[in-house]
Amino acid sequence: MYQPTTDATDLIVRFINAPHDPQLQDQIAALKNQGPEQAAYVEKLLQDWLQDDMQRTVTTRPTKKIIPICKWCAVVVILLLAVGCYLHFRSRSSLIVSANQTGYIDSFLLADGSKAILNSSASIAYPKSFDKELRQLYMQKGEAFFAVPVKNDQPFELIVGESVHLKLDAAAFNVRMDKNKIAVYVTDGKVKMKGEGEEELLLTPGLQGIYSPKGLEQEIMVSDGALAWKTGRLRFTNVPLKEVLQVIRNYYDIQVEVPPSAHTILKKKVTANFESEGAEKVLEVVSKKIGVYLTKDKEGRYYLTLK
């Protein structure tokens, strides 16, 4: 059962006294979005307050029964928020959740003909049929590749986690969710990427957008290494070491560090192709090509250092 905090109650009281304040409106909306119990608590407090106010009005001015305009505004705003929260929770609960627990790559077609390829442990949620005005789905964790076709002027929106929105008409792109960042790599078409509190970023083929605590950043990818989990190949042709190591870390799920004293090597170019080699073998080849030492500590972390 929901136990309201003093701060939550104080927020509602302040909102009742100043329903036109946009900051308070946002805070009330955030409180209601925390869950159905929070939403119900806000509505009940408003109803109790409104009922008390009407009783006081009947006692002192029995012929008018008028509620001040500002309080009617508060009623309208909270009712609208309640409807929005209800639709939000209902729409989320009616989605089909597809979680890949097979240990292998899985793929399927969505109702609009879009193709979704899920890496092991990836999870997405989508409706049985898309809305006429918007094709919207959610990605909850892991890594996945999407190939989205044009569909009768219906924009496509993918909500990644709780903070990143991707909007497009038709495109092919890869999404990877890590603990501290979300990376979106586009192979075809155009994707608009927006993080919470960030300006929209336009991604075209060969560009990768990264959303992290640092904000929203864009980088040029020389290789298609972001798709290595899907293709099973690591192919590098004059690719900067910085990008090569990023691909290796993601593909093998390992830690590879370059100390500050050796950061100059990150700009060196690597040309090499791998298909079934293990992580250590790949790193050995890369380190020899650029002329650096490769070491490994007790925790399994790899280090590239200058000779």
Side-chain angles (χ1 to χ4, degrees), residues 16-299:
I16 287 173
N17 292 323
H20 296 292
D21 188 324
Q23 184 176 1
L24 291 176
Q25 291 178 8
D26 290 343
Q27 292 174 347
I28 286 291
L31 175 60
K32 292 171 73 65
N33 277 330
Q34 291 177 9
E37 293 184 345
Q38 287 86 338
Y41 174 70
V42 173
E43 293 170 28
K44 183 180 184 305
L45 202 61
L46 173 65
Q47 290 173 358
D48 292 345
W49 160 77
L50 182 58
Q51 186 175 4
D52 290 344
D53 185 83
M54 291 181 67
Q55 290 175 350
R56 288 194 300 271
T57 303
V58 169
T59 302
T60 57
R61 301 176 66 184
T63 59
K64 291 189 177 182
K65 299 183 181 180
I66 298 176
I67 299 176
I69 293 177
C70 67
K71 294 187 176 182
W72 276 118
C73 291
V75 175
V76 171
V77 171
I78 291 184
L79 287 177
L80 289 174
L81 291 172
V83 171
C85 288
Y86 168 74
L87 293 175
H88 171 76
F89 288 116
R90 187 181 69 173
S91 62
R92 283 289 185 114
S93 63
S94 63
L95 295 174
I96 300 170
V97 176
S98 181
N100 183 9
Q101 303 295 339
T102 66
Y104 302 95
I105 295 173
D106 192 15
S107 64
F108 54 91
L109 290 176
L110 299 174
D112 67 331
S114 296
K115 186 175 184 179
I117 303 176
L118 275 59
N119 200 354
S120 178
S121 300
S123 176
I124 65 172
Y126 53 92
K128 289 183 179 180
S129 59
F130 289 109
D131 185 84
K132 293 182 179 180
E133 297 182 356
L134 178 66
R135 295 174 287 168
Q136 186 178 68
L137 65 155
Y138 304 83
M139 183 166 173
Q140 300 156 325
K141 66 175 182 177
E143 187 166 28
F145 181 84
F146 299 89
V148 182
V150 174
K151 183 70 173 180
N152 300 328
D153 297 324
Q154 286 179 285
F156 185 99
E157 181 179 39
L158 174 63
I159 300 175
V160 187
E162 299 294 335
S163 305
V164 173
H165 289 242
L166 305 178
K167 296 182 180 180
L168 54 130
D169 292 319
F173 57 97
N174 191 79
V175 181
R176 179 183 175 88
M177 299 179 68
D178 289 331
K179 183 182 295 186
N180 297 316
K181 69 179 181 180
I182 294 171
V184 179
Y185 171 64
V186 177
T187 62
D188 188 40
K190 298 178 181 179
V191 175
K192 295 178 180 178
M193 182 178 183
K194 191 176 190 312
E196 185 175 357
E198 298 285 334
E199 293 186 4
E200 193 173 74
L201 189 66
L202 178 63
L203 301 175
T204 54
L207 294 181
Q208 179 169 263
I210 297 178
Y211 180 73
S212 69
K214 297 179 181 179
L216 191 57
E217 302 174 297
Q218 177 182 290
E219 60 184 14
I220 299 173
M221 300 295 286
V222 180
S223 73
D224 63 352
L227 306 180
W229 67 271
K230 185 169 70 76
T231 64
R233 298 186 301 269
L234 300 176
R235 293 183 175 179
F236 307 112
T237 303
N238 291 323
V239 179
L241 178 63
K242 181 180 178 181
E243 180 177 326
V244 171
L245 294 183
Q246 176 182 319
V247 171
I248 292 174
R249 290 185 188 104
N250 293 341
Y251 185 68
Y252 292 104
D253 191 22
I254 59 174
Q255 288 182 276
V256 185
E257 306 294 339
V258 177
S261 60
H263 274 190
T264 54
I265 68 174
L266 294 176
K267 296 181 180 180
K268 289 191 174 185
K269 304 293 181 64
V270 176
T271 297
N273 294 325
F274 307 98
E275 289 197 14
S276 58
E277 293 85 347
E280 192 156 329
K281 177 63 177 178
V282 170
L283 287 172
E284 286 177 357
V285 172
V286 170
S287 62
K288 288 179 180 178
K289 282 181 174 289
I290 60 175
V292 297
Y293 286 116
L294 172 67
T295 58
K296 184 179 180 181
D297 65 16
K298 295 180 180 178
E299 283 73 35

